[in-house]
Amino acid sequence: MNIKELASTVGALTIEKAQGDEEITCATGIEDGVPGAVTFIGNPLYERFLSTTKATVVIVSEYLSASYALGAGPALLRVNNPYEGFARALESFSPKKERPGRGVHPTAVIAPSAEIHPDAHIGAHVFIGPRVTVGANTIIRHGVHIGADTRIGSECEVHPNAVIYDNMRLGNRVVVGAGSVIGFDGFGYVPMGDGTYRKIPQIGIVVLEDDVEIGANTTIDRATVAETRIRRGVKLDNLVQIAHNVELGEDTVMAAQSGIAGSTTLGRQNIVGGQAGFTGHIVTVNQVIVSAQAGVSKSITKPGLYMGTPARNGREVLKLEGAIRSLPELIERVKKLEAQLEAVTNLDHNH
């Protein structure tokens, strides 16, 4: 496609430093740009590469300084959201995924009472238990295990070797990554007087609402009673742990190796960085951002950025870190002042 066509695809507000008929053949990172490539700048830290990238066109924010449009350098497509614009560009250059044909592979084992929509695809060595329902245009890839009484909506995709236990509820357009486990027992034990532990039966379910996407090797525990609920539009990365009776609010996203202990509720549009952790029985409000490796031990009652362990207001943490970085200089200044004071004191004593 040419730049003019690309501009239409990404919803560009303006085209700068281009005629519009220049051909674009691939997408790259800005540091790896090559002639014929489209790339983007979503973070101001990368603006310095505008003068060195070999990419033909760069998708940038509408707020990028006008000075970048002067002189040599790549063509610019200004958009409201560079990340979204580049995502649209990537879609144009991504190879189309082949959708497997509908039907059931001969090696699949399906209980007679299961109801599989005729437009669904059931791959090799899949096991589907009694009274399971699978909706239209859903893809169950090879090696998946689906327990009894589970309901899976339309246009879902369950990737290889995932396990979905009994009585789970999946809405429409849900994606479950390879090797993920939905609905295994939550971590519930009663300490006994003799130092042993008695298991608490886990009899609840997991509900994945519409448009939820679960990464590879992620685990979501069934509730002790009632349900663990992942609300509409939630996106979980690989290797995320969600404990029993947790609720994640709509459009919340969690990065890899983060985890939430039992009975904690996150509000809508929370953003959780990698390796962040939440203790149990707490609540966050809507639009909370928890930075990577933060530890949240108390409920969060105000939107905003939270950092550190225990997690605190991000601005306060940054102020403290700034103060800590200045400590060596402050210590040296105090030593000099003490030495000066001691010299003055000795002088007074001598007189």
Side-chain angles (χ1 to χ4, degrees), residues 1-12 24 38 57 59 77 85 88-89 92-93:
M1 71 173 68
N2 61 35
I3 287 181
K4 186 176 292 186
E5 293 167 335
L6 179 64
S8 176
T9 297
V10 304
I24 305 301
V38 57
V57 59
I59 299 170
L77 299 181
R88 291 176 181 270
S92 300
F93 294 105

Side-chain angles (χ1 to χ4, degrees), residues 22 30 52 72 76 172 184 225 257:
E22 298 90 337
I30 193 164
T52 58
L76 303 179
N172 301 314
F184 191 64
V225 293
Q257 297 184 353

